[in-house]
Amino acid sequence: MQLLAPAGLALLALAAPILLLYMLKLRRKPVQVSSILLWTRLLRDQQANTPWQKLKRNLLLFLQLLILAALVFALARPALPTPVVASGAVIVLLDSSASMNATDVSPTRFETARRSVGTLINSLPNGSQMTLITVSSQPQALIAAESDKALLRSALAAARPTQTGADWQSAFALAAAAARNLPEVTTVIVSDGGLPAEGLPALPGEARYVPIGMSDDNLAISALALRGGQLFAEVTNYSAAPRQVLLSIVEIVAQDSLLRYARQMDIPPGESRSVTLENIPTGGRIYQARIADPTGDSAPDAFPLDDTAYAVNQDAATRRVLLVSTGNLYLEQLLASLPGIQPFRSLTGEIPPDPFDLYLFDGAYPSQALPGSLLLVNPPPNPLFVVGSAFQPVEMRAREHPLTRYVDWSNVHILQASSVPLPDWADLLIEADGKPLVFAGETDGRRVAALTFDLRQSDLPLQVAYPILFSNLINYLVPPAAFDAAQSLRPGESLTLVPPPGVERIVVAAPSGKLYTLFPSAASLAFTSTEETGYYAVNFISKDTTRAEYFAVNLFDPSESNIRPAGTLRIGQTTLTPAAAGQTGLRELWPWLAGLALLVLLVEWLVYHRSISFHPRGSSSPEPLLRRDTKTIERRP
């Protein structure tokens, strides 16, 4: 043991005043009494009032000296050498991803990891500092370069497990930034594994690994999807032993639930079993798949987060499209043939007062502000972009873009097109001689697409690319729904919402009941609060109506569902084995000494007040006054 502040021992000199208070007696004024019966008492009192007396055994004196000794040694900060995992500048990467919710260790892996980090905080040597980073889909530094253990414990207590995957690349980059300008950095990874085998940047300083978890016991619903009136479900056994599981599929309509399928499956280790349901009804239905123990006696595995999945079957809304043209048979026939489109036509150029989802202008531009998206064909000069002189396209090609997918432009011929500089807000889709022929983008809160040539001066309407290009453009400008309900998101992924015209606000209800309110301020919104698994209700609220749509968030992540703890980690060319306490730190004992001083102080208080109750004020002896003896009276200083 060593003392970190030995100068504090000088305060032991305070014991001298305490001893003097017990050795020094008070002088009292002699008093004459009228009866000799009190002479014996008077003589005894005079003897007791001599200035100095021999120090006698006294419990209160012992307790007071013990309190002083405990406080003085606490100020001297005694410390014992102890082995620690890391010292100096320590960066802790605490895994808070979905797999850390597994219950193979009590109560969960995350709580076990939290205790391990707490032990690391308590064993930090004097002068060490710690940075604590939680690793999920969005890694976060809870506290940086802090040596105050109380603040570190507070930050650790604020950490929470998530239902998302882990972005270890971003976490390593965050650790590298935190280690900048810090000497002797040690990075400690507290996790159950699941790190990618490659693509990770180098860790700063020395790396150590603290493994969490004991079992690989898990079965998961690894897929649930609706396509073409069919429902596909898949169950995977991630454990090392064959398992039996009961798969049930429930159809949810409004507040009613209907069991559509139930089957017991035998799944070998590391394999999957699937089932397909036919003739699935369309419109406004949610399907829940769940696995359970066939005996019903317990949970099917140690990781319940992937035992349930959801799929949404939702009809696309009909889109209202207004064509403003003096007459273009190609566009009229196209709009009439596209599914989910309700076309309207204005031959005079007048805009009806009713709102439309999309306004298609052929050789014209609106003279008033319109609420929907714009599709411009052979546009005249307008405020959105500059329209120049005409030119004859020669070398034309389609750029690689989602809107040009399956668009074959090799056989298209155009007599002439307008020379238009590409606006800053637009993406170039098709070009000719370095000039845009087709572009699309978002400006002033709405989506706009433009073709810089007249369809009647080209053979595009005669090519297969014609319906494909316009279908892609219209689906971009006015998606069939506010979002793709058939798409299952993973926790933490964002959902793009395209509010219908007239919507004043959007209220999203999470599976836990938490509400999120969004206000349409652009053609599309990104909803990012998808950390919970389950199905979400998206309520579009307008002045007169409210419409609800649904989407599902499922784990569907093999790296999280495979909860087998990793015995080692491979980072670059380095293999990390479970960390052992290989460094020497100092465990300070002053908190224990301070606690001992407080405890002894309480005992001293009880002893003092108990002695007062047995020694009434004015009595000169702890014995009854009628006894005649010469016992010396002891008073507390």
Side-chain angles (χ1 to χ4, degrees):
M1 185 178 71
Q2 58 179 308
L3 299 178
L4 301 181
L9 295 178
L11 295 177
L12 286 175
L14 294 176
I18 296 177
L19 294 174
L20 289 176
L21 289 175
Y22 277 86
M23 297 176 62
L24 184 63
K25 294 306 232 178
L26 297 176
R27 295 180 178 272
R28 295 182 179 176
K29 182 179 180 180
V31 178
Q32 292 182 352
V33 298
S34 59
S35 172
I36 62 173
L37 296 177
L38 301 177
W39 285 1
T40 304
R41 180 177 177 182
L42 179 61
L43 291 174
R44 185 172 64 245
D45 190 55
Q46 288 179 345
Q47 182 181 3
N49 284 332
T50 55
W52 299 92
Q53 68 171 353
K54 183 179 179 181
L55 193 64
K56 299 181 179 181
R57 287 181 298 176
N58 189 294
L59 180 58
L60 291 175
L61 173 62
F62 171 75
L63 294 176
Q64 292 166 9
L65 292 177
L66 182 59
I67 294 171
L68 177 65
L71 291 176
V72 169
F73 275 94
L75 292 174
R77 297 176 61 190
L80 293 174
T82 180
V84 296
V85 172
S87 60
V90 181
I91 298 176
V92 175
L93 298 178
L94 174 59
D95 191 349
S96 61
S97 62
S99 62
M100 297 297 284
N101 292 279
T103 58
D104 56 327
V105 290
S106 181
T108 64
R109 289 185 177 183
F110 185 80
E111 292 303 323
T112 303
R114 193 203 300 270
R115 289 196 294 264
S116 297
V117 178
T119 302
L120 182 59
I121 291 174
N122 293 334
S123 62
L124 276 180
N126 182 47
S128 296
Q129 56 186 9
M130 177 181 289
T131 297
L132 179 58
I133 299 173
T134 54
V135 184
S136 59
S137 60
Q138 295 181 346
Q140 180 182 7
L142 299 182
I143 193 169
E146 183 57 61
S147 57
D148 190 326
K149 294 184 179 181
L151 294 178
L152 290 171
R153 295 189 193 97
S154 177
L156 178 62
R160 294 291 181 271
T162 68
Q163 299 180 11
T164 68
D167 186 353
W168 286 102
Q169 288 88 349
S170 298
F172 278 32
L174 191 58
R180 196 168 299 154
N181 301 324
L182 291 179
E184 300 180 6
V185 176
T186 302
T187 303
V188 181
I189 302 174
V190 184
S191 171
D192 57 1
L195 278 71
E198 56 185 19
L200 292 176
L203 279 174
E206 183 179 0
R208 295 179 179 270
Y209 172 46
V210 177
I212 303 295
M214 299 178 58
S215 172
D216 64 353
D217 178 27
N218 187 43
L219 295 101
I221 298 179
S222 51
L224 185 67
L226 283 160
R227 286 292 185 273
Q230 294 181 333
L231 177 64
F232 174 80
E234 182 184 66
V235 181
T236 302
N237 180 10
Y238 288 97
S239 62
R243 295 293 306 274
Q244 285 187 341
V245 66
L246 177 64
L247 171 65
S248 59
I249 299 177
V250 175
E251 180 181 284
I252 304 173
V253 182
Q255 301 299 325
D256 299 327
S257 299
L258 173 65
L259 179 64
R260 292 190 58 93
Y261 180 87
R263 175 187 171 188
Q264 181 172 314
M265 294 180 170
D266 296 320
I267 308 178
E271 296 189 13
S272 301
R273 293 291 183 268
S274 62
V275 62
T276 301
L277 302 185
E278 303 286 347
N279 301 321
I280 297 299
T282 61
R285 285 170 169 80
I286 300 172
Y287 292 88
Q288 179 197 65
R290 175 178 293 178
I291 56 175
D293 187 354
T295 64
D297 295 336
S298 60
D301 52 47
F303 187 47
L305 199 60
D306 55 10
D307 294 345
T308 305
Y310 294 88
V312 177
N313 191 4
Q314 190 163 275
D315 292 335
T318 301
R319 295 161 287 174
R320 292 162 49 89
V321 178
L322 176 66
L323 171 61
V324 181
S325 173
T326 57
N328 191 324
L329 187 60
Y330 296 132
L331 291 175
E332 293 175 8
Q333 292 178 342
L334 175 70
L335 295 178
S337 63
L338 290 178
I341 296 294
Q342 185 179 7
F344 297 84
R345 183 178 60 181
S346 173
L347 296 177
T348 62
E350 295 183 0
I351 308 299
D354 296 338
F356 292 86
D357 300 315
L358 174 64
Y359 295 87
L360 198 165
F361 286 87
D362 178 33
Y365 187 83
S367 59
Q368 63 194 72
L370 300 175
S373 300
L374 292 179
L375 177 54
L376 307 176
V377 177
N378 190 28
N382 61 83
L384 295 180
F385 48 84
V386 177
V387 178
S389 59
F391 75 101
Q392 183 177 1
V394 178
E395 296 183 3
M396 297 179 290
R397 70 183 183 94
R399 289 282 190 95
E400 189 71 25
H401 193 278
L403 295 181
T404 59
R405 188 175 301 168
Y406 309 120
V407 174
D408 182 8
W409 204 263
S410 59
N411 296 322
V412 176
H413 301 85
I414 300 175
L415 180 61
Q416 70 175 13
S418 298
S419 178
V420 176
L422 183 67
D424 295 336
W425 47 265
D427 292 332
L428 180 59
L429 304 179
I430 299 173
E431 64 176 343
D433 306 323
K435 300 176 182 180
L437 291 177
V438 183
F439 57 88
E442 187 172 328
T443 179
D444 295 332
R446 64 179 176 182
R447 294 184 176 183
V448 178
L451 283 74
T452 64
F453 57 94
D454 190 340
L455 292 176
R456 290 163 294 197
Q457 294 188 1
S458 72
D459 61 357
L460 175 62
L462 306 178
Q463 306 293 336
V464 177
Y466 176 59
I468 297 176
L469 174 63
F470 271 80
S471 178
N472 291 346
L473 290 176
I474 292 175
N475 286 337
Y476 164 74
L477 297 170
V478 188
F483 52 86
D484 185 3
Q487 177 188 6
S488 175
L489 301 180
R490 289 185 179 181
E493 288 185 346
S494 62
L495 176 71
T496 300
L497 300 173
V498 181
V503 171
E504 296 179 351
R505 69 181 186 277
I506 304 172
V507 179
V508 183
S512 63
K514 187 175 181 180
L515 301 179
Y516 302 89
T517 301
L518 306 175
F519 295 95
S521 58
S524 62
L525 301 173
F527 178 70
T528 58
S529 300
T530 59
E531 293 82 8
E532 303 177 41
T533 58
Y535 68 91
Y536 293 67
V538 184
N539 300 276
F540 297 96
I541 302 174
S542 59
K543 186 175 182 180
D544 301 321
T545 61
T546 298
R547 179 168 60 90
E549 297 182 14
Y550 302 88
F551 70 92
V553 175
N554 299 304
L555 188 58
F556 295 166
D557 189 345
S559 63
E560 297 298 326
S561 292
N562 186 3
I563 64 172
R564 179 180 291 109
T568 60
L569 294 182
R570 182 73 176 178
I571 302 176
Q573 302 299 320
T574 305
T575 300
L576 301 183
T577 58
Q583 302 185 31
T584 300
L586 295 174
R587 182 182 294 275
E588 295 193 39
L589 304 179
W590 69 264
W592 299 96
L593 293 173
L596 175 63
L598 178 60
L599 178 62
V600 176
L601 179 63
L602 294 176
V603 173
E604 192 263 353
W605 182 84
L606 291 174
V607 170
Y608 170 70
H609 282 275
R610 190 174 181 182
S611 65
I612 290 296
S613 64
F614 282 100
H615 296 68
R617 179 172 293 184
S619 71
S620 58
S621 172
E623 301 294 333
L625 295 178
L626 294 179
R627 292 186 55 182
R628 292 173 176 264
D629 55 27
T630 58
K631 181 178 287 187
T632 303
I633 300 174
E634 296 179 1
R635 296 181 181 270
R636 189 175 184 273

